[in-house]
C-alpha cells in the first residue's frame, strides 16, 4: 500500500525512516525532525495504513504488511538502505524489517516497543472497543499510557493535541493494526537481526515496561544495548525529547 509520507532534510543525507505508534500519525515525530535534519540526516516520516492520511485497508493487517509498506516506500523514493527509528508499533515494524530485509536496513533504534505484546484476544477486544465505543474512548485510555500524569498536568495543550491525534484515527484503521500486534511474535527471530541496534525504554511506560519488553529485545539482538530513560511513559520521544534525540543521533552517527 502507498503510504502518506513527508521527506525533510539534506538531499544527500543518510535516510532515517521514522515509524510510529498505533493511534498516531507522522506528526508524533515533530520533536525529532530538527535534531535529525540538522545532524545531516534525510528524514522520512509516514503514516501506517489506516492512520493519518494513509488509506484504511479492507482487511486486518499483519506486521509483514506494515513492513512491506516501508519497503515499498523506500522503493518509491529510490532509497536502497535506510536507518529505521520505530516506536511501539513502529518498533515492531522496524524489527520485522531487520529480520526480513536486512540488506535494506542500516541501523535500528527501537523505542518503547515489544517483541510480543499481550494476546490475540486482548487486541481483538481493543479493536472491537474502537468500533463500538469509538476512537475518543480509545484516546481517553491511550493518553494515560502515552504520557505520565505529571507531563499531562504541565502540558495541557499538547495533551489535547495528542488525544485528538488518536481520536481522529479511523476506527477500522486502528482495528486493522490491532490485528498486526495481536498476531505478532518476533522474539524467536530477533537473533537474526544484524543491524547495530539501540533499544530505548521509558522508565514509567505502562504499555511496554523496560524489564518486561525492552530488555528481552536488547538481550536477543546480537550486540544491542538498552537505555532506560527516566520520567518517560510510552511516547518517550515526546515527553523526554531531548534525551531521546541525543541517544538516537549518537547511535545513528556511531563509528563514522
Ligand atoms: O496500548 C497502547 O496504546 C500502547 C501501544 C501498544 C502498541 C502501540 O503502538 O502502542
Amino acid at each position: 500500500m502507498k503510504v502518506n509520507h513527508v521527506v525533510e532534510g539534506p538531499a544527500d543525507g543518510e535516510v532515517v525512516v521514522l515509524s510510529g505508534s498505533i493511534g498516531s500519525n507522522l506528526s508524533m515525530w515533530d520533536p525529532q525532525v530538527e535534531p535529525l535534519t540538522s545532524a545531516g540526516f534525510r528524514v522520512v516520516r509516514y503514516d501506517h495504513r489506516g492512520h493519518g492520511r494513509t488509506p484504511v485497508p479492507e482487511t486486518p493487517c499483519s506486521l509483514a504488511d506494515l513492513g512491506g509498506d516501508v519497503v515499498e516506500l523506500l522503493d518509491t523514493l529510490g532509497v536502497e538502505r535506510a536507518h529505521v527509528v520505530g516506536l511501539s508499533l513502529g518498533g515492531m515494524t522496524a524489527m520485522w524489517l531487520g529480520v526480513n530485509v536486512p540488506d535494506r536496513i542500516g541501523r535500528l533504534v527501537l523505542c518503547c516497543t515489544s517483541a510480543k505484546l499481550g494476546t490475540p484476544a486482548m487486541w481483538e477486544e481493543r479493536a472491537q472497543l474502537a468500533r463500538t465505543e469509538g476512537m475518543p474512548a480509545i484516546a481517553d485510555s491511550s493518553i494515560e499510557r502515552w504520557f505520565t500524569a505529571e507531563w499531562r498536568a504541565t502540558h495541557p495543550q499538547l495533551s489535547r493535541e495528542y488525544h485528538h491525534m488518536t481520536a481522529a484515527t479511523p476506527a477500522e484503521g486502528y482495528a486493522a493494526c490491532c490485528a498486526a500486534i495481536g498476531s505478532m511474535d518476533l522474539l524467536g527471530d530477533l537473533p537474526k537481526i544484524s543491524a547495530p541496534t539501540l533499544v530505548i525504554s521509558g522508565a514509567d511506560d505502562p504499555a511496554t515496561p523496560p524489564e518486561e519488553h525492552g530488555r528481552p529485545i536488547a538481550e536477543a539482538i546480537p550486540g544491542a544495548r538498552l537505555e532506560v530513560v527516566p520520567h518517560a511513559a510510552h511516547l518517550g520521544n515526546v515527553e523526554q525529547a531531548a534525551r531521546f534525540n541525543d541517544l538516537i543521533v549518537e547511535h545513528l552517527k556511531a563509528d563514522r
Side-chain angles (χ1 to χ4, degrees):
M1 176 178 285
K2 292 214 175 312
V3 293
N4 177 55
H5 62 278
V6 173
V7 183
E8 290 150 296
D12 62 348
E14 291 182 13
V15 172
V16 182
V17 174
L18 305 179
S19 179
S21 167
I22 194 169
S24 74
N25 62 44
L26 55 76
S27 69
M28 70 158 268
W29 294 108
D30 283 352
Q32 277 64 56
V33 173
E34 197 283 325
L36 281 168
T37 55
S38 64
F41 292 103
R42 189 150 177 85
V43 174
V44 177
R45 333 184 237 172
Y46 75 99
D47 295 325
H48 287 295
R49 44 176 78 191
H51 286 62
R53 293 174 189 272
T54 297
V56 177
E58 281 170 14
T59 52
C61 57
S62 66
L63 214 49
D65 294 322
L66 298 177
D69 290 343
V70 176
V71 174
E72 189 177 335
L73 175 59
L74 294 178
D75 289 344
T76 302
L77 297 172
V79 174
E80 186 49 42
R81 203 179 177 87
H83 307 300
V84 184
V85 179
L87 187 140
S88 201
L89 177 60
M92 299 166 196
T93 306
M95 287 184 267
W96 186 93
L97 290 163
V99 169
N100 291 283
V101 289
D103 295 348
R104 307 297 298 271
I105 304 304
R107 289 176 168 260
L108 292 176
V109 183
L110 308 174
C111 308
C112 308
T113 192
S114 172
K116 169 138 186 63
L117 189 57
T119 61
M122 181 192 122
W123 286 100
E124 177 53 30
E125 197 178 309
R126 178 90 70 92
Q128 282 305 339
L129 200 67
R131 294 183 180 112
T132 56
E133 303 289 316
M135 290 306 293
I138 295 286
D140 288 346
S141 56
S142 292
I143 201 80
E144 295 186 356
R145 293 186 292 273
W146 281 10
F147 302 112
T148 62
E150 292 76 11
W151 191 89
R152 280 180 272 127
T154 50
H155 299 78
Q157 177 58 26
L158 274 175
S159 297
R160 275 192 292 276
E161 288 173 20
Y162 279 93
H163 184 281
H164 177 72
M165 187 186 288
T166 300
T169 302
E172 284 303 333
Y174 189 92
C177 287
C178 284
I181 300 173
S183 60
M184 169 201 69
D185 187 352
L186 286 164
L187 262 180
D189 279 338
L190 294 184
K192 295 180 191 161
I193 294 182
S194 53
T197 300
L198 171 65
V199 182
I200 310 178
S201 291
D204 303 320
D205 180 359
T208 55
E211 293 307 317
E212 239 176 277
H213 295 279
R215 190 171 300 286
I217 294 172
E219 286 176 353
I221 299 177
R225 173 170 73 90
L226 172 68
E227 284 279 348
V228 180
V229 174
H231 310 297
H234 195 56
L235 254 59
N237 71 304
V238 176
E239 187 162 359
Q240 294 300 331
R243 182 66 184 137
F244 270 63
N245 290 336
D246 286 350
L247 288 168
I248 292 167
V249 170
E250 181 193 58
H251 179 66
L252 297 183
K253 279 188 167 273
D255 300 332
R256 285 204 295 162

